[in-house]
């Protein structure tokens, strides 16, 4: 009950004209970023962070979170009309979405996906409202030992689930932590690894790093492929038939549950949610062989799931202060840039901001439904902008974003350096998510570790003294070791198969 | 080729780990109050070094699961990537002497005209919007500090 009265207070903040306008702006920009292939939600959010410096924190976070879940709506449009996913979580939608478009049912696919996304987003927001009070109460009991244990579990999940190779994921995770050491030591204030450069005293700014890793690396990858022209499928009526609507009910329910559930687990991406939803729909169908030929369920389920995931992924950030994906980590960075720390203290110290932002999720999803149903043809027109023009505009915004963080050209070079680094590392199948998450969480983790060791006077046994931290550490070890056993078993099976 | 790139990068990883270990040893490892500034980087650098070594062994012993993917882009692709990289370095060099508007106009013009291969009128309009338009929208309306030229006569004409 208390949560709902807090939510009402949140609505009084979110419905202020300025915040409404920013929710609209974030939703529109999110849809735009989702529509444009070659720029994902992480880069989009990172580019916009510097532009929010002059805004008040509530408005800035409302805009950036709306942008985040807005990309999930926009990504569908390109998947259905172009057979090219606007962002990774919509990739699976191409299978049946594009087939529906070829059958002249693009409008039906897009409208059902928008309705599903709306319901999925709303469901996850309700879960956040319900989970906020108990989870924050629990998190407020945490000391540095439990915080360090929780962060370790979160990061091990991200590393355990990212990419094909555990070694590569771990390397990226550790590299992110090492990069977070650059600058002043968070406990003693001593400069580390700054190479005498004043620009590095406050550490590597995460905005140019993220823009390099997600934005520039993507532009470079597109430049490698060449800037080809695009061919769009034709749009049709947006009104779905009664039978299509009826067929969508169960996929929407299942997609909402899958997306929200996976959103709670660090490392589970929106792509995993939409993929699992697709598999579930196929398995529950009486005609699984028809999947891939234009099944409505193959579009509605995954699209509901990825939007529920986008909103669900904000639950661990808001309640425990743990980002579960790179884009959520970018949003966490935006909180920090505005002097706020996401997590349980946000609800006690800034309830107006916490609940205002949560209430804005409902408003943002309504705005997105409007933007993606009656106004969908505007986004389709934007798709016709040639990439030869678009990539330069995207690069221009990246330069603007990187420069304006510290008004320094040095950050443009940081962006370039990390862009080239990510471009080549991705070619070698190195996942970038662990690096970003550890880069942002590094200082917090180091502080928690050192405070714990100061309490125990250097004894590491402190981490297994309380039952909660002991359980969390065992869990982290299992998560990290499990893939190694799995691959050993696979190798054994392969060898015995070859022997037979 | 790919195998050598993997091995080379792993060796690079080991070198980075060693240099961080050396750097960490110059910082305090442990103080009277507890772990010092060199404590966490040293542990991490050791782990990073071990992981790089494991990767070096893996890439030497095992066959690449992703197959022999082409690592270096072809000549035309390399030229496109090179043009973007050089343009960004150009922005870094020219931003302070020429100011935001002129630098970004040149940056966008070169990329759109020569890389995007768009028509001249289209190129000029988008470049003007991305330079002068953005300067006034973000600099004057949204209050971002964007640099003007350090050359007196360019600054005098508002660039």
């Amino acid at each position: 009950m208390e949560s709902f009265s807090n939510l009402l207070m949140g609505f009084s903040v979110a419905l202020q004209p300025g915040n409404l306008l920013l929710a609209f702006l974030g939703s529109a920009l999110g849809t735009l970023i989702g529509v444009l292939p070659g720029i994902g939600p992480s880069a989009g959010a990172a580019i916009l962070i510097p532009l929010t410096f002059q805004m008040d924190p509530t408005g800035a976070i409302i805009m950036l979170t709306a942008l985040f879940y807005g990309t999930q709506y926009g990504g569908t449009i390109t998947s259905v009309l172009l057979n090219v996913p606007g962002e990774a979580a919509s990739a699976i939608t191409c299978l049946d979405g594009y087939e529906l478009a070829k059958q002249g049912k693009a409008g039906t696919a897009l409208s059902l996906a928008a309705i599903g996304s709306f319901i999925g987003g709303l469901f996850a927001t309700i879960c956040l409202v319900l989970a906020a009070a108990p989870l924050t109460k629990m998190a407020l009991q945490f000391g540095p030992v439990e915080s360090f244990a929780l962060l370790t579990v979160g990061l091990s999940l991200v590393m355990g689930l990212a990419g094909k190779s555990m070694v590569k994921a771990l390397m990226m995770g550790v590299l992110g932590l090492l990069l977070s050491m650059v600058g002043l030591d968070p406990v003693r204030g001593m400069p580390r690894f700054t190479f005498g450069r004043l620009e590095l005293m406050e550490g590597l700014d995460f905005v140019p790093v993220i823009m390099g890793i997600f934005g520039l690396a993507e532009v470079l990858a597109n430049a490698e492929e060449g800037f080809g022209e695009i061919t769009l499928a034709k749009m049709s009526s947006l009104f779905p038939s009664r039978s299509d609507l009826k067929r969508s009910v169960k996929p929407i329910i299942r997609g909402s549950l899958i997306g929200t559930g996976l959103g709670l687990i660090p490392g589970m991406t929106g792509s995993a949610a939409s993929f699992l939803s697709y598999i579930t729909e196929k398995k529950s169908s009486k005609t699984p062989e028809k999947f891939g030929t234009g099944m409505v369920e193959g579009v509605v389920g995954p699209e509901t799931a990825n939007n529920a995931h986008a909103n669900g992924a904000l639950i661990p950030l808001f309640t425990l202060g743990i980002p579960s994906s790179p884009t959520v980590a970018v949003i966490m960075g935006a909180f920090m840039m505005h002097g706020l720390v996401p997590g349980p203290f946000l609800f006690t110290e800034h309830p107006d901001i916490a609940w205002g932002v949560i209430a804005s999720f409902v408003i943002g999803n309504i705005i997105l439904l409007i933007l993606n149903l009656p106004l969908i043809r505007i986004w389709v027109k934007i798709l016709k902008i040639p990439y030869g023009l678009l990539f330069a505009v995207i690069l221009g915004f990246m330069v603007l974003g990187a420069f304006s963080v510290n008004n320094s050209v040095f950050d443009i070079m940081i962006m370039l350096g990390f862009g080239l680094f990510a471009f080549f590392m991705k070619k070698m199948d190195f996942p970038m998510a662990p690096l970003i998450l550890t880069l942002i969480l590094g200082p917090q983790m180091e502080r928690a570790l050192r405070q714990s060791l100061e309490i125990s006077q250097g004894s590491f046994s402190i981490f297994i003294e309380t039952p909660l931290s002991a359980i969390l550490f065992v869990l982290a070890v299992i998560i990290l070791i499990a893939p190694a056993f799995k691959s050993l078993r696979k190798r054994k099976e392969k060898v015995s198969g070859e022997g037979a | 080729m790919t195998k050598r790139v993997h091995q080379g990068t792993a060796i690079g990883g080991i070198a980075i780990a060693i240099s961080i270990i050396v750097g960490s040893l110059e910082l305090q490892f442990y103080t009277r109050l507890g772990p010092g500034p060199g404590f966490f980087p040293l542990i991490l650098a050791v782990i990073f070094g071990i992981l790089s070594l494991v990767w070096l062994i893996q890439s030497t012993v095992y066959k690449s699961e992703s197959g022999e993917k082409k690592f270096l882009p072809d000549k035309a692709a390399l030229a496109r990537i090179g043009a973007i990289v050089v343009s960004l370095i150009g922005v870094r060099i020219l931003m302070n002497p020429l100011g935001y508007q002129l630098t970004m106009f040149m940056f966008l013009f070169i990329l759109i005209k020569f890389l995007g291969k768009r028509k001249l009128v289209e190129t000029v309009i988008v470049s003007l919007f991305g330079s002068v338009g953005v300067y006034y929208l973000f600099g004057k309306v949204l209050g971002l500090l964007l640099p003007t030229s350090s050359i007196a006569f360019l600054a005098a004409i508002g660039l």
Side-chain angles (χ1 to χ4, degrees):
Chain A
M1 198 60 209
E2 192 196 342
S3 296
F4 280 96
S5 63
N6 283 328
L7 185 66
L8 282 181
M9 182 263 287
F11 272 113
S12 70
V13 176
L15 285 169
Q16 285 168 12
N19 291 337
L20 261 181
L21 181 71
L22 289 168
F24 172 79
L25 223 95
S27 304
L29 286 167
T31 310
L32 178 69
I33 286 164
V35 163
L36 300 176
I39 178 165
S42 311
I47 292 168
L48 285 174
I49 287 174
L51 312 181
T52 65
F53 285 164
Q54 310 296 324
M55 295 178 190
D56 85 300
T58 319
I61 305 297
I62 285 177
M63 188 172 109
L64 291 168
T65 44
L67 179 142
F68 169 48
Y69 51 79
T71 52
Q72 312 298 323
Y73 282 80
T76 323
I77 300 172
T78 47
S79 295
V80 171
L81 294 178
L82 269 178
N83 201 21
V84 174
E87 41 82 43
S90 293
I92 200 91
T93 309
C94 292
L95 295 181
D96 285 276
Y98 190 63
E99 287 303 317
L100 280 167
K102 282 205 288 193
Q103 293 162 21
K105 291 177 83 178
T108 306
L110 289 170
S111 58
L112 286 173
I115 294 167
S117 297
F118 171 72
I119 297 172
L122 213 59
F123 177 78
T125 306
I126 293 168
C127 289
L128 170 56
V129 172
L130 294 173
L135 279 177
T136 48
K137 213 170 266 175
M138 183 186 82
L140 282 170
Q141 313 292 323
F142 288 0
V145 177
E146 289 80 10
S147 293
F148 182 73
L150 195 66
L151 285 169
T152 310
V153 171
L155 291 180
S156 55
L157 269 168
V158 172
M159 290 179 215
L161 295 167
K164 295 172 197 160
S165 156
M166 175 61 88
V167 175
K168 287 178 180 174
L170 279 172
M171 278 181 79
M172 287 295 103
V174 176
L175 188 63
L177 283 173
L178 281 168
L179 288 170
S180 76
M181 307 282 115
V182 175
L184 294 178
D185 156 40
V187 181
R188 305 256 179 276
M190 201 173 167
R192 294 184 298 192
F193 311 110
T194 56
F195 308 104
R197 290 204 72 113
L198 275 177
E199 295 97 331
L200 291 175
M201 278 295 178
E202 284 187 34
L204 280 170
D205 233 303
F206 82 97
V207 173
V209 173
I210 286 169
M211 272 198 276
I213 287 177
F214 291 111
L216 185 58
E218 199 61 46
V219 172
L220 293 176
N222 284 329
E224 187 180 7
E225 298 295 320
F227 308 129
E229 293 293 322
I230 53 170
T231 14
L232 277 175
K234 266 191 181 171
M235 268 295 283
S236 63
S237 163
L238 286 166
F239 292 102
S241 66
R242 189 174 281 191
S243 88
D244 285 338
L245 272 174
K246 216 173 149 188
R247 281 169 63 188
S248 304
V249 175
K250 281 182 185 169
I252 288 176
I253 296 171
R254 285 191 284 259
S256 301
L257 290 169
I258 291 171
T260 309
L262 293 193
L264 296 172
I265 306 170
M268 280 291 178
T269 56
S271 322
S274 47
F275 187 73
L276 186 63
S277 162
Y278 189 84
I279 300 288
T280 311
E281 289 316 316
K282 200 173 172 179
K283 281 196 172 158
S284 351
S285 172
K286 285 175 188 160
T287 51
E289 71 284 353
K290 284 190 179 169
F291 271 74
T293 62
M295 291 285 278
V296 168
E297 292 88 342
V299 174
V300 185
E303 284 304 319
T304 306
N306 68 33
N307 205 45
H309 177 275
N311 286 260
L314 296 168
I315 299 175
L317 178 73
F318 271 75
T319 53
L320 305 172
I322 292 180
S324 52
S325 73
T327 319
V328 180
V330 177
I331 291 169
M332 182 174 180
F335 268 99
M336 288 167 162
M337 284 207 151
H338 284 276
L340 302 164
V341 182
F345 289 108
L346 190 70
F347 287 89
T348 51
E349 288 167 9
H350 304 282
D352 53 326
I353 297 180
W355 289 104
V357 173
I358 292 172
S360 80
F361 296 167
V362 178
I363 295 162
N365 273 294
I366 294 170
I367 293 172
L368 281 161
L369 190 67
I370 297 166
L371 285 176
N372 282 272
L373 276 177
L375 301 179
I376 198 158
R377 285 174 210 276
I378 297 173
W379 306 111
V380 176
K381 279 201 178 116
I382 286 171
L383 268 177
K384 290 177 182 163
I385 299 174
Y387 195 74
L389 262 180
L390 217 52
F391 89 97
V393 176
I394 292 170
L395 277 173
F397 272 105
M398 282 183 199
V399 169
L400 175 72
F403 177 83
S404 49
V405 178
N406 295 310
N407 290 320
S408 159
V409 284
F410 180 76
D411 286 326
I412 298 173
M413 288 297 98
I414 294 282
M415 177 182 81
L416 176 60
F418 277 93
L420 284 169
F421 168 77
F423 174 67
F424 286 111
M425 294 312 264
K426 278 180 190 170
K427 277 175 169 276
M428 288 187 273
D429 283 334
F430 273 85
M432 287 296 135
L435 187 143
I436 289 300
L437 288 166
T438 49
L439 176 68
I440 289 180
L441 290 175
Q444 207 177 323
M445 233 178 143
E446 184 181 10
R447 209 172 295 127
L449 171 72
R450 285 170 66 178
Q451 280 172 355
S452 309
L453 290 174
E454 277 174 22
I455 295 168
S456 71
Q457 293 178 322
S459 167
F460 278 87
S461 63
I462 192 169
F463 294 112
I464 47 166
E465 272 168 16
T466 69
L468 180 64
S469 66
I471 293 169
L472 289 172
F473 274 112
V474 170
L475 193 66
V477 171
I478 293 171
I479 293 163
L480 290 175
I481 289 178
F485 278 109
K486 213 172 145 188
S487 91
L488 262 178
R489 208 178 57 194
K490 260 189 187 173
R491 199 159 285 147
K492 244 184 187 173
E493 279 170 9
K494 209 176 159 187
V495 170
S496 62
E498 278 168 8
Chain B
M1 174 71 185
T2 314
K3 194 172 183 172
R4 277 194 199 151
V5 173
H6 278 259
Q7 288 168 333
T9 318
I11 292 168
I14 295 169
I16 289 171
I18 292 169
S19 65
I20 298 172
I21 290 170
V22 173
S24 311
L25 290 172
E26 286 167 13
L27 300 163
Q28 281 177 299
F29 181 73
Y30 217 84
T31 67
R32 194 167 47 84
L33 297 166
F39 179 81
F40 206 29
L42 183 70
I43 294 174
L44 289 172
V46 171
I47 298 172
F48 189 68
I50 295 169
L51 287 168
S52 302
L53 189 67
V54 173
W55 181 34
L56 179 65
I57 295 166
Q58 278 187 350
S59 54
T60 309
V61 175
Y62 300 129
K63 256 188 191 173
S64 165
E65 278 181 25
S66 52
E68 282 294 299
K69 260 196 270 176
K70 198 177 64 169
F71 184 78
L72 276 181
D74 59 41
K75 266 188 188 170
L78 209 57
R80 285 192 293 270
I81 292 167
I84 293 173
V85 173
V86 171
S87 305
L88 283 169
I89 294 171
V91 169
R92 190 251 176 269
I93 296 167
L94 297 174
M95 183 78 93
N96 287 332
L98 293 187
Y100 183 84
Q101 295 171 81
L102 209 53
T103 309
M104 288 310 285
F105 180 81
M106 291 195 298
F107 174 72
L108 292 170
F109 188 92
I110 291 168
L111 289 181
I112 297 170
K113 185 71 200 147
F114 300 108
L115 226 57
K117 297 194 171 68
R118 306 306 304 172
K119 287 179 190 152
L120 184 66
V121 180
E122 209 174 47
T123 307
V124 172
I125 291 171
V126 178
S127 306
L128 272 175
F129 172 77
S131 53
V132 182
V134 164
Y135 180 81
Y136 279 94
L137 181 66
F138 289 97
K140 302 288 176 195
V141 182
L142 292 176
L144 285 186
L145 281 171
L146 297 172
T148 47
S149 173
S150 57
I151 300 167
F153 98 91
L154 287 176
I157 56 170
L159 290 172

